[in-house]
Every structure is written in C-alpha cells, then in structure tokens.
C-alpha cells in the first residue's frame, strides 16, 4: 500500500470543507429550534468552543505521531479492547458518511428534482464518493484545492447579495432564553461540525509535518466556524426565527430570496453546488476513514480492493438509514450526544489512560535507574 | 426482494469475477475473505433498495440508547 502524503494547505482546506459540510443547509433550523432568535448568540459562543474541540483533537493526535485511530486504540487499550473500540468508530464513520449522501439525495429529490427517485441520486452520490476514496487522499485533497476558491466566492456572494434584505428586528428581543437553551444551541453548533472531526484521526498520519501546520489547522477551524456562524446569523436576519426553524433547508430558501434590481435572481441552483461540494468532502472523508480503518484493523495489503463492496454497502444503507428527514430531525439531540461520546468523551478517556501509563512508566524507569 | 438480490447479485458477481482472480493470483487469502464478506453484506443491503423494503432505521437505536441521558439532562435543567 503506497504512502500518500498531503500538504498543510491541502489538509487545512479539507478541514474547512469538513466543518462547513452539511451544516450549510441544516444548522439554522437545528439552532433556531433550540434558542429561536438568540441562535446567533449561541453560534457566536460556539465558535471558540469549537476551536477548543479542534485544538484538543490536534493535541490528542500529536501524542501519537504517525498513528491512526486504529493504532492509537491498540497502543492504549490493547489488541482486543482496542479493536472493539475501533469497530465502534468504524460504524460511526460508515453511518455519518451514509447520512451525508442521503442528505444530498433528500435535498435534491425534495427541492429540485422532485420526480427523480431517491435511489438514483443515492447511487450517483455513492459512485462519486467511492471514486474519491479510490483516487486516494492526495487526489481528493487536490480536488479541494481546486474547488475552494469557487466555494468561497459563491459563499461570499450569498452573504453579500442577501445584505439588502437583512431586518435587524428579526433577532429582537435578545437574550430571552435560559442558560440551558443557549447550551443546547452551542452543543448543536459544535457537535455536527467540530466534534465529528474525529475522522481526522485517520488522516493525521498522512499529513506532512510543517512548522505552520497547527496555525493553518486552527485558522481553518476558525474560518469554518465563522462561516457557519454567518449562515445561522444571515438566516435569522433575513428569514426570521419562524421560517428558519421550519425550513430544514433554510439556506436554499435564503438563496431563493436573492433578487437584485430584477435582473439578478434565481441564484439558488448555483449555490446548491456549494452544498453538494462541502457535503461531498465530508462524506468522502468519512468513507475514506471507514475503508482505511478496515484496512488497518485487519492489516490488509491494499485498501482499494474494498471500494466496490463498501460502495454496495453505502448505497444500500443510504436507503435504509432513515425513512425521511423528519426522523433525522427528531434524532438531532441523540445524534449530538452520540458525537460527544466519540469526541471528546472516549478520546479524553484514551488520553487520560495514556498519560497515566506514561507517568507510571517514567516513574518505574527512574526507580530502576536509582536502584542500579 | 428476490428481484433485487438477483440484480445486485449479477453486479456483484461481475465485480467479484474482476477482482477475485487477481487476489487469488497474489495469494491474498485474508483480503479475499474480507472482500467476499463485505460484498455479500453490500448485496443484501442493496437488495433492500431495489425491492423498496423498509426496515427499522438504525438511527432509532442511537435515539433509544441516548433517550435516558436526554431525559436526565432535561430533568436537571428543568426543561
């Protein structure tokens, strides 16, 4: 199996795409449901909290240089317990990847191509994602480099063109919610975008170490956080809390509202490209994590042989993973807790066990050297 | 269900006919077993799609596992 290495810039771009991911569409609805017109305050608090989560993940990965999550689990917990924990993580990689694919299909079949069967879009998305995984980390990281400028341009276009429609009254009255509501908003903001970054533990061993890796990584996390904060805030300011809450695809409705002088309108189809791009990268990263995880866990010689079977599995699972978007929406609180279990709860436990063992080992070493 | 299994069975058979001889030639036994196991799982899952068979969403499992935690947190914060 060839060793693929990606550069710092490529890695930072993947982080940015990942954080925005499907949240470009869903976050306003989730957050407004929790804190209504104060969702922007929760999002603002969520940015530093998310940065803290991103810092922890980087610090955690640094404790185990050149190790993926599979090897980390083996090193800290031993072969059996480590493998069992890896399987739990692999199941989550698989599920998140499938849910991303399904969300794109749900969006396209409910908003744009209503006559097209869900299965057709599922199949197309699965093929695209599996081509990305087959091409390898380096190739889809380069794809990210190509698309990032287009993505940034269209994202800024959305925000700038919506500015004339902003109504400040939509976020009034301010600070009318309890601490628990704000906390719930922050949890939604952080869990889907920042906490799910645990998949990068499968990517870190392939990132070229450079002096500014940490700086670029954190900058990327900050930009991603600011981008989703802008989405939540713009949605609130333009659509108001009621529409933001009940439209699951609030950003799409936002894009539909763009109308400049009666000649520049119907830009939503172009902006859908942004949603599909960011969701594609998130789905591909999780699918890559899943395939690489199986390969490393079972010590297989080549990960590419698994592409077709995993493609079949993703396609099948994308249909049965949930019956409709209402179910996905209802699972939101449990999903957030599920994310929190993977990162930081389990990772923190692994970190503590590792630290305790290192301290014990060092103490034994110093004792034995004193005796000698 | 049967139609779905047959359709994806043919696809899977074609994929296996392409990949398996290469794996056998290299004597990658473990890889061959993993490939076949995942392919069979994939075909069964894909056959649900063709047959439009709905099974209980696996996401309900997440909801069931975390429901007590959500209830406890809601109780603690008085919501």
């Amino acid at each position: 199996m060839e060793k693929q290495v990606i550069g710092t810039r490529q890695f930072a771009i993947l982080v940015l795409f990942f954080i925005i991911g499907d949240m470009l569409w869903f976050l306003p609805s989730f957050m407004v449901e929790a804190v209504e017109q104060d969702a922007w305050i929760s999002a603002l608090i969520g940015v530093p909290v998310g940065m803290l989560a991103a810092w922890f993940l980087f610090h955690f990965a640094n404790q185990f240089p050149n190790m993926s999550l599979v090897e980390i689990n083996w090193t800290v917990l031993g072969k059996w317990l480590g493998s069992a924990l890896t399987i739990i993580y692999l199941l989550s990689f698989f599920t998140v990847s499938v849910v991303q694919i399904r969300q794109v299909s749900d969006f396209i079949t409910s908003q744009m191509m209503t006559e097209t069967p869900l299965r057709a879009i599922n199949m197309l998305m699965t093929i695209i994602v599996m081509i990305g995984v087959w091409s390898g980390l380096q190739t889809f990281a380069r794809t990210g480099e190509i698309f990032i400028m287009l993505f940034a341009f269209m994202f800024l276009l959305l925000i700038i063109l919506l500015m004339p429609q902003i109504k400040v009254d939509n976020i009034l009255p301010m600070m009318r919610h309890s601490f628990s509501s704000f906390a719930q908003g922050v949890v939604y903001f952080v869990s889907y975008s920042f906490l799910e970054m645990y998949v990068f533990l499968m990517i870190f061993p392939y990132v070229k170490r450079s002096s500014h890796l940490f700086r670029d990584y954190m900058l990327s996390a900050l930009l991603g956080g600011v981008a989703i904060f802008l989405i939540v805030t713009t949605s609130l300011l333009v659509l108001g809390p009621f529409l933001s809450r009940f439209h699951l695809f609030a950003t799409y409705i936002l894009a539909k509202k763009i109308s400049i002088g009666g000649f520049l309108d119907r830009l939503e189809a172009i902006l859908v490209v942004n949603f599909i791009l960011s969701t594609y990268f998130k789905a591909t990263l999780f699918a890559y994590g899943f395939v690489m995880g199986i390969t490393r866990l079972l010590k297989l010689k080549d990960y590419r042989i698994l592409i077709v079977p995993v493609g079949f599995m993703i396609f099948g699972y994308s249909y049965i993973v949930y019956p409709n978007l209402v179910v996905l929406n209802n699972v939101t609180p449990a999903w957030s807790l599920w994310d929190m279990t993977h990162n930081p709860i389990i990772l923190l436990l692994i970190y503590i066990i590792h630290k305790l063992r290192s301290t014990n080992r060092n103490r034994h070493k110093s004792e034995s050297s004193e005796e000698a | 269900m049967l139609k779905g299994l047959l359709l994806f069975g043919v696809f899977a058979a074609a994929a296996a006919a392409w990949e398996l001889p290469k794996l056998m030639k290299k004597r990658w036994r473990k890889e061959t077993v993993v490939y076949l196991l995942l392919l069979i799982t994939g075909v069964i899952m894909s056959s649900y799609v063709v047959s439009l068979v709905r099974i209980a969403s696996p996401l309900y499992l997440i909801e069931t596992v975390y429901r007590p935690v959500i209830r406890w947190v809601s109780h603690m914060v008085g919501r």
Side-chain angles (χ1 to χ4, degrees):
Chain A
M1 194 160 57
E2 81 267 40
K3 176 94 176 164
Q4 302 211 22
V5 180
I6 58 167
T8 308
R9 191 176 59 185
Q10 291 169 332
F11 178 64
I13 288 169
L14 286 181
V15 170
L16 184 61
F17 270 125
F18 183 92
I19 289 174
I20 297 172
D22 56 330
M23 289 301 103
L24 195 59
W25 254 207
F26 294 98
L27 197 62
S29 160
F30 290 167
M31 290 196 66
V32 173
E33 199 178 329
V35 240
E36 293 173 322
Q37 76 275 13
D38 287 334
W40 71 276
I41 302 173
S42 261
L44 196 64
I45 302 165
V47 176
V49 177
M51 296 279 289
L52 187 72
W55 170 83
F56 168 69
L57 197 76
F58 192 88
H59 180 66
F60 179 86
N62 261 355
Q63 302 296 309
F64 308 93
N66 296 320
M67 280 191 214
S68 73
L69 187 63
V70 182
E71 287 87 26
I72 294 172
N73 288 342
W74 278 339
T75 311
V76 178
L77 302 171
K79 203 81 178 168
W80 289 101
L81 196 59
S83 299
L85 192 63
T86 300
I87 291 168
I88 292 172
Y89 272 98
L90 290 185
L91 284 174
S92 76
F93 290 167
F94 182 62
T95 307
V96 181
S97 175
V98 164
V99 167
Q100 301 298 312
I101 290 171
R102 177 63 189 267
Q103 282 174 345
V104 174
S105 309
D106 276 330
F107 166 73
I108 291 177
T109 53
S110 67
Q111 305 289 323
M112 297 187 82
M113 298 160 77
T114 48
E115 300 290 313
T116 309
L118 183 88
R119 299 173 286 172
I121 312 292
N122 273 351
M123 183 178 270
L124 283 175
M125 272 306 286
T126 307
I127 292 170
I128 300 166
V129 165
M130 293 327 284
I131 288 173
V133 178
W134 186 83
S135 309
L137 188 60
Q138 226 170 37
T139 312
F140 77 78
R142 279 186 194 150
T143 314
E145 275 186 298
I146 293 167
F147 281 114
I148 191 69
M149 293 312 287
L150 177 76
F151 182 85
F153 171 73
M154 289 200 290
F155 183 83
L156 290 173
L157 194 73
L158 172 75
I159 304 293
I160 292 165
L161 293 181
L162 280 169
M163 278 188 173
Q165 305 199 36
I166 282 174
K167 289 185 200 107
V168 184
D169 291 355
N170 282 336
I171 56 167
L172 297 176
M174 277 187 217
M175 302 291 282
R176 280 295 174 93
H177 292 84
S178 62
F179 172 78
S180 62
S181 300
F182 277 110
Q184 194 182 353
V186 173
V187 166
Y188 287 163
F189 185 88
V190 174
S191 60
Y192 288 94
S193 35
F194 290 95
L195 296 185
E196 284 184 358
M197 281 170 72
Y198 57 83
V199 73
F200 281 100
L201 290 174
M202 299 301 296
I203 312 288
F204 275 118
Y206 304 106
V207 182
K208 203 171 163 183
R209 298 276 144 178
S210 70
S211 54
H212 49 94
L213 176 65
F214 177 69
R215 185 199 66 191
D216 290 2
Y217 166 81
M218 290 305 283
L219 193 67
S220 224
L222 176 67
L223 281 176
V226 169
I228 49 176
F229 161 74
L230 279 176
I231 283 293
V232 173
T233 310
T234 315
S235 177
L236 265 176
L237 286 168
V238 176
L239 292 178
F242 184 80
L243 285 177
S244 298
R245 182 178 179 177
F246 291 105
H247 275 296
L248 203 52
F249 303 108
T251 322
Y252 183 67
I253 307 299
L254 275 180
K256 271 186 168 178
K257 281 188 147 273
I258 295 173
S259 179
I260 307 287
F263 71 93
L264 188 66
D265 48 19
R266 298 303 304 265
L267 288 175
E268 69 272 13
I270 302 169
L271 290 159
V272 168
V273 174
N274 259 13
F275 166 65
I276 295 176
L277 264 178
S278 55
T279 314
Y280 160 78
F281 279 102
K282 196 166 176 177
T284 309
L285 279 165
F286 272 107
Y288 183 81
F290 178 66
V291 172
M292 285 309 285
I294 296 177
T295 310
R296 283 180 172 250
L297 181 70
L298 301 171
K299 294 182 177 163
L300 304 179
K301 290 188 181 81
D302 188 4
Y303 79 91
R304 285 198 175 98
I305 57 160
L306 303 179
I307 301 293
V308 174
V310 171
F312 271 104
M313 284 168 66
I314 289 181
F315 172 63
Y317 196 49
S318 64
Y319 181 71
I320 54 181
V321 67
Y322 58 82
N324 51 55
L325 275 171
V326 178
V327 172
L328 183 69
N329 209 15
N330 290 341
V331 174
T332 309
W335 185 283
S336 298
L337 288 174
W338 191 52
D339 279 339
M340 286 170 81
T341 311
H342 292 115
N343 177 24
I345 295 172
I346 296 179
L347 293 187
L348 211 56
L349 281 174
I350 294 174
Y351 182 80
I352 292 167
I353 294 169
H354 172 69
K355 281 287 168 197
L356 285 175
R357 278 193 179 164
S358 312
T359 317
N360 274 348
R361 213 177 296 135
N362 289 342
R363 195 183 298 153
H364 279 297
K365 259 186 198 171
S366 58
E367 278 173 7
S368 55
S369 61
E370 274 172 22
E371 280 168 19
Chain B
M1 181 80 179
L2 200 67
K3 200 170 70 177
L5 263 174
L6 201 72
L7 182 74
F8 277 92
V10 171
F11 279 132
W18 174 261
E19 198 68 54
L20 285 177
K22 287 192 271 183
L23 296 177
M24 302 273 210
K25 204 174 167 186
K26 289 177 186 166
R27 293 180 187 277
W28 289 2
R29 285 198 191 123
K30 192 165 53 178
E31 282 76 4
T32 312
V33 173
V34 174
Y35 180 88
L36 279 173
L37 280 176
L38 291 183
L39 195 64
I40 291 164
T41 314
V43 170
I44 293 169
M45 281 178 160
S46 301
S47 66
Y48 286 123
V49 184
V50 179
S51 319
L52 296 173
V53 174
R54 281 272 177 215
I55 56 167
S57 167
L59 297 190
Y60 288 130
L61 186 70
I62 299 175
E63 205 184 12
T64 311
V65 169
Y66 288 100
R67 194 179 295 141
V69 185
I70 294 169
R71 275 199 196 138
W72 179 74
V73 173
S74 304
H75 176 73
M76 292 300 283
V77 297
R79 291 189 78 190

